[in-house]
Amino acid sequence: MSHPTDLSTMTGLEVVRALAAVTDERPSIARLMGITIHTVDSGEVAGSVTPQPDFANALGTVHGGICATLLDAVMGCAVHTMLAPGVGYTTLELKVNYLRTVATDAGPLTATGSVIHAGRTTATAEGRVHDDKGHLVAHATTTCLILS
């Protein structure tokens, strides 16, 4: 599938579905980190990333920024699915709680993002990251500014 040429005519749900389908073909944080989006529904997005040695912090475990970026991606995309054509968003605030360390050779981390509120000027969402054993690794909330 090729990259859509005019995203401004598509609803947010259509945009996120289209971009999720072409992640490997275009420069993006998803391509850089290897994030894969698995499901896209109105107000809900799920995706995953598999830790690798380059994700290590100074202590040798997965850097917290990996989970933060994954959470920002799925929560932001969940917000985007609620937007009308030509409307964008940006993250105003991101609050992450880390619950356990993740080894760099661990299996996939799976994140879900869900919209809590979608208004005219702001939207809020929550997200959770689980490891391959089903343990909750981190959870977060975000506030996004709606750009019309």
Side-chain angles (χ1 to χ4, degrees), residues 21-47:
V22 297
T23 299
D24 314 0
E25 297 177 19
R26 61 185 194 77
S28 68
I29 192 68
R31 187 181 78 173
L32 177 67
M33 288 181 49
I35 296 173
T36 302
I37 300 298
H38 302 287
T39 58
V40 178
D41 292 310
S42 183
E44 301 271 336
V45 172

Side-chain angles (χ1 to χ4, degrees), residues 75-97:
M75 292 186 300
C77 285
V79 166
H80 201 160
T81 66
M82 305 296 290
L83 302 179
V87 177
Y89 74 96
T90 190
T91 302
L92 283 175
E93 179 266 343
L94 176 66
K95 165 72 169 87
V96 182
N97 292 287

Side-chain angles (χ1 to χ4, degrees), residues 75-141:
M75 292 186 300
C77 285
V79 166
H80 201 160
T81 66
M82 305 296 290
L83 302 179
V87 177
Y89 74 96
T90 190
T91 302
L92 283 175
E93 179 266 343
L94 176 66
K95 165 72 169 87
V96 182
N97 292 287
Y98 300 98
L99 305 175
R100 59 178 64 223
T101 61
V102 176
T104 57
D105 63 352
L109 297 173
T110 301
T112 55
S114 303
V115 172
I116 298 168
H117 166 77
R120 287 182 298 137
T121 58
T122 62
T124 58
E126 61 188 359
R128 296 170 185 250
V129 178
H130 290 88
D131 65 16
D132 65 338
K133 295 180 178 117
H135 298 119
L136 184 62
V137 172
H139 60 93
T141 56

Side-chain angles (χ1 to χ4, degrees), residues 53-83:
D54 286 338
F55 292 177
N57 58 26
L59 300 175
T61 58
V62 172
H63 189 280
I66 301 301
C67 284
T69 302
L70 180 59
L71 284 160
D72 189 44
V74 297
M75 292 186 300
C77 285
V79 166
H80 201 160
T81 66
M82 305 296 290
L83 302 179

